[in-house]
Amino acid sequence: IDFSDVLQVDVYELGRTYLRLSQALCINIPAMDPCLYVMRFAHKLEFGDKTHEVSMTALRLVSRMKKDWIHFGRRPSGLCGAALLIASRLHEFCRTVTDVIKVVKVHESTL
């Protein structure tokens, strides 16, 4: 997502190119841990003083998703977005799906 912002390239096109390149060069890079994105996305959603609390709840949700194997086949940013949406509502913040989609840059159906 960061590369696509800097390069001004569609994130899906960049992903397709990355997959083709990694397959052609036989590079096996492990998937990113969704927990790495939670704090960054939480700051962008502007929870104020409760940013840490909301992100910790989201981290607990993501770890539970991983225990239940819900994370398999899903994009890390989509998992973080879903966890942050649920965590924000648990902490009584009024964040809409559209707000979260703008930050994590996934489609509504992915979230």
Side-chain angles (χ1 to χ4, degrees), residues 43-103:
H43 282 289
K44 287 184 179 182
L45 285 169
E46 299 174 354
F47 294 117
D49 295 338
K50 291 195 170 192
T51 300
H52 182 70
E53 295 172 25
V54 173
S55 61
M56 291 308 292
T57 303
L59 284 171
R60 288 180 54 214
L61 287 167
V62 169
S63 67
R64 186 63 204 192
M65 289 179 194
K66 288 166 77 176
K67 285 181 186 176
D68 292 336
W69 292 64
I70 295 173
H71 74 293
F72 244 89
R74 308 237 192 292
R75 292 189 179 116
S77 56
L79 289 174
C80 291
L84 282 168
L85 180 64
I86 294 168
S88 68
R89 292 184 178 172
L90 285 172
H91 288 276
E92 299 177 356
F93 283 98
C94 190
R95 297 295 184 271
T96 63
V97 173
T98 307
D99 295 336
V100 176
I101 287 172
K102 288 178 184 175
V103 171

Side-chain angles (χ1 to χ4, degrees), residues 16-28:
R16 280 191 292 273
T17 305
Y18 166 76
L19 284 176
R20 286 187 204 127
L21 183 64
S22 64
Q23 288 172 350
L25 298 175
C26 298
I27 298 172
N28 187 12

